[in-house]
Amino acid sequence: MTLAQEFQLQIRDTAGKEYSHGDSWDGPEPATCGLKRRGARRWVPVLVDMLMMLCGEAMATLLGRLYYNAGGKSMWLATLAHSAGAPLMLVPLLLTPRDASAAGEPRPAAGKIAAICVGLGLLIGCDNLMYSYAMLYLPVSTFSLVAATQLAFNAVTSRLINAQRFTAPILNSVVVLTFSAALLGFGSDDDDVASYHVPRGKRAAGVALTLAASAVYALLLSLFEATFETVIRAQTLRWVLTMQVSTNVVASAASAAALLASGEWRTIRGEMAAFEHGIASYVATLAGIAVGWQAAALGAVRLIARVSSLFANVTGTLALPLVPVLAVVFFGDKMTGVKVVAMLMAVWGFLSYVYHHYLDDRRAAARKGRVAPGDCVCTALMGTQAVVPTRKPDVDY
């Protein structure tokens, strides 16, 4: 073998392409350029998931408030509406092809997945019930104030369960978002109490239930993240939809059983007839609640799989100050300066968290960009084995 042939063989083994003097480099692109393009492709679906979560949560919360304002009283029916939209996710699940690249990979045991789905589904059902009672007992602003504590709870669970690394932008995001909801609650509580006619004797119970529901919700997000990382070990759309459908079916079954056992199902017909806006509006309101919560849940689970449970919670907390602002349009609430400041603080806190992930991407690009194709060529010329940076396959959602 001549020296030139040996040189060509070394280059072919290193970069997978033939390369000679005078030819243009057709091998792998520099790592920094590839990371920039992959970073852009990564954030587009993340933004879609964020928008889905924000719109779904805001819509479901407003319709839940409308259900109570117009005469709805069934706690178990409202709880069931949180998870009853799960069958809608069967359509995209059935249309989603299996991941061919994961065909040879070991799959988690079906029994283990079933046990996890049952446990998470029961927790979701309990969480939905507590939020249903909280929405009945608290005005929107107070509910937003107390529900924002889920971010603090999730900061703890993310650290203990998911080993979340805290940086200055993350801490700034948590503090600012919490203060935003607190400012909103303290600044407009009296007006909301008067407009929603909330019994003051139920306020303490509503606060306690919201705190408990926030803690359970934070725990759920961290458990979902741990399940994807340690049990499923895959982040495909098929697994995301499977987990959402399975857990929500369990929650719906538990809520439906409680609805039948409590006897509340006997009052649904009378409640429907007495609904302020008519029977059609009654059905549309409950259907909208179901669709909204499923959209929010799908966005949250996808964000957990893509980024982290804390990121999903930060996105959800951003929706809390937006709900009273939207209530100005739909319910005729007063728009005060406090609400505007609270919304701007929420946006600032959210952007702070996004900036943290931007810095992480930049650091990852800097680390992986140290080995370029040119370095591989020089290494091959020296007769040593080149280390080609491996590319983690992009998750196709």
Side-chain angles (χ1 to χ4, degrees):
M1 181 182 293
T2 64
L3 180 62
Q5 291 174 335
E6 183 178 356
F7 170 76
Q8 294 286 350
L9 180 61
Q10 288 176 333
I11 296 300
R12 188 181 302 111
D13 292 338
T14 302
K17 286 277 190 176
E18 289 191 350
Y19 181 81
S20 61
H21 295 291
D23 293 337
S24 61
W25 175 259
D26 294 327
E29 63 183 352
T32 53
C33 298
L35 283 170
K36 288 180 180 179
R37 279 195 282 270
R38 292 199 298 275
R41 291 198 302 267
R42 176 197 177 207
W43 278 104
V44 169
V46 167
L47 290 174
V48 173
D49 295 338
M50 289 162 50
L51 183 62
M52 185 188 310
M53 186 178 182
L54 288 173
C55 294
E57 185 174 339
M59 181 181 76
T61 304
L62 290 173
L63 289 176
R65 186 70 260 174
L66 176 63
Y67 171 76
Y68 292 125
N69 286 354
K73 298 178 182 178
S74 176
M75 288 295 98
W76 283 113
L77 185 60
T79 302
L80 178 60
H82 280 72
S83 55
L88 297 174
M89 296 296 104
L90 288 175
V91 177
L93 177 59
L94 295 176
L95 295 177
T96 302
R98 296 183 180 274
D99 188 7
S101 62
E105 297 181 0
R107 295 184 179 182
K112 181 183 292 186
I113 291 295
I116 291 174
C117 289
V118 170
L120 292 178
L122 293 177
L123 276 178
I124 290 174
C126 294
D127 191 57
N128 293 341
L129 177 63
M130 288 187 288
Y131 270 128
S132 297
Y133 272 105
M135 283 295 295
L136 176 65
Y137 294 156
L138 295 178
V140 170
S141 61
T142 306
F143 176 80
S144 299
L145 162 65
V146 184
T149 57
Q150 69 190 34
L151 187 58
F153 284 123
N154 192 229
V156 176
T157 58
S158 294
R159 180 62 180 174
L160 296 178
I161 300 177
N162 311 121
Q164 172 72 48
R165 181 175 61 89
F166 285 95
T167 61
I170 288 181
L171 292 177
N172 176 71
S173 175
V174 172
V175 171
V176 171
L177 281 166
T178 304
F179 282 171
S180 169
L183 177 64
L184 177 66
F186 286 124
S188 57
D189 185 69
D190 293 336
D191 292 339
D192 287 336
V193 168
S195 59
Y196 289 126
H197 308 288
V198 178
R200 292 188 178 274
K202 301 290 187 179
R203 297 277 298 282
V207 171
L209 286 170
T210 308
L211 282 173
S214 299
V216 172
Y217 181 74
L219 177 62
L220 279 168
L221 294 182
S222 294
L223 290 177
F224 265 108
E225 182 178 354
T227 300
F228 279 112
E229 290 181 351
T230 62
V231 180
I232 299 176
R233 296 181 180 179
Q235 300 174 351
T236 61
L237 176 59
R238 189 174 184 85
W239 269 115
V240 169
L241 291 172
T242 300
M243 289 298 296
Q244 181 178 353
V245 171
S246 302
T247 54
N248 278 269
V249 165
V250 173
S252 299
S255 301
L259 176 65
L260 296 175
S262 65
E264 281 191 0
W265 62 273
R266 298 187 182 92
T267 65
I268 293 178
R269 186 180 297 273
E271 180 181 294
M272 187 183 303
F275 198 70
E276 182 179 333
H277 304 291
I279 295 178
S281 179
Y282 180 86
V283 175
T285 300
L286 290 175
I289 293 174
V291 173
W293 282 124
Q294 284 305 302
L298 179 59
V301 177
R302 284 164 63 98
L303 287 176
I304 291 171
R306 292 179 186 277
V307 190
S308 69
S309 63
L310 187 59
F311 186 87
N313 213 333
V314 167
T315 304
T317 306
L318 177 64
L320 295 176
L322 297 179
V323 171
V325 175
L326 293 175
V328 173
V329 179
F330 296 104
F331 294 151
D333 289 3
K334 295 181 180 179
M335 186 64 179
T336 63
V338 172
K339 292 181 180 180
V340 175
V341 173
M343 185 177 63
L344 292 177
M345 288 179 63
V347 173
W348 173 257
F350 177 75
L351 292 178
S352 177
Y353 194 87
V354 173
Y355 180 68
H356 158 76
H357 283 279
Y358 169 76
L359 292 179
D360 275 355
D361 288 345
R362 289 291 298 272
R363 284 191 290 266
R367 287 194 299 268
K368 294 183 179 182
R370 291 171 185 170
V371 180
D375 297 332
C376 299
V377 176
C378 294
T379 306
L381 286 172
M382 295 171 62
T384 59
Q385 184 178 2
V387 179
V388 180
T390 59
R391 170 178 172 178
K392 184 179 179 180
D394 295 329
V395 178
D396 184 13
Y397 278 83

